[in-house]
Amino acid sequence: MTKAKARHILVETEAECLALKQQINDFETFDQLAREYSLCPSGRVGGDLGIFGPGKMVPEFDQIVFNETIGEVHGPIPTQFGYHLIWITDRK
């Protein structure tokens, strides 16, 4: 079964998500912005969601994590929780 490792930042609006995406240029910046702005409890650890398989996240999230390019920041991704920036760090 495929597993992925990802980080994310969750915010309320698409505009806020786009503004944060403009600021991200490396892992360190993503980590800092997640700690400062993410509404998800994972923000306390730089948005780190750990390792997970398909079906553990909402479908919109899974679609990105298991199909898009590793090492890039994807988003804004709308879900019922808000808007996400997703950084896929590994997939096996």
Side-chain angles (χ1 to χ4, degrees):
M1 174 189 279
T2 302
K3 298 279 186 180
K5 184 170 177 139
R7 292 178 174 264
H8 82 130
I9 299 173
L10 172 65
V11 293
E12 289 183 0
T13 68
E14 184 176 19
E16 188 177 10
C17 202
L18 287 167
L20 289 172
K21 189 172 184 178
Q22 287 292 314
Q23 295 179 55
I24 296 168
N25 57 13
D26 62 23
F27 177 82
E28 211 169 286
T29 306
F30 191 97
D31 183 76
Q32 177 186 353
L33 292 173
R35 290 173 192 273
E36 190 171 342
Y37 293 101
S38 187
L39 301 174
C40 181
S42 70
R44 291 187 297 258
V45 291
D48 188 1
L49 296 170
I51 298 169
F52 55 91
K56 297 296 182 186
M57 304 294 176
V58 295
E60 302 90 339
F61 204 95
D62 271 5
Q63 179 65 30
I64 298 300
V65 171
F66 292 102
N67 294 291
E68 297 299 331
T69 307
I70 297 169
E72 291 183 13
V73 177
H74 302 279
I77 310 300
T79 71
Q80 74 256 30
F81 301 106
Y83 291 84
H84 303 260
L85 291 177
I86 302 171
W87 189 331
I88 308 161
T89 57
D90 194 19
R91 184 171 52 227
K92 297 179 182 176

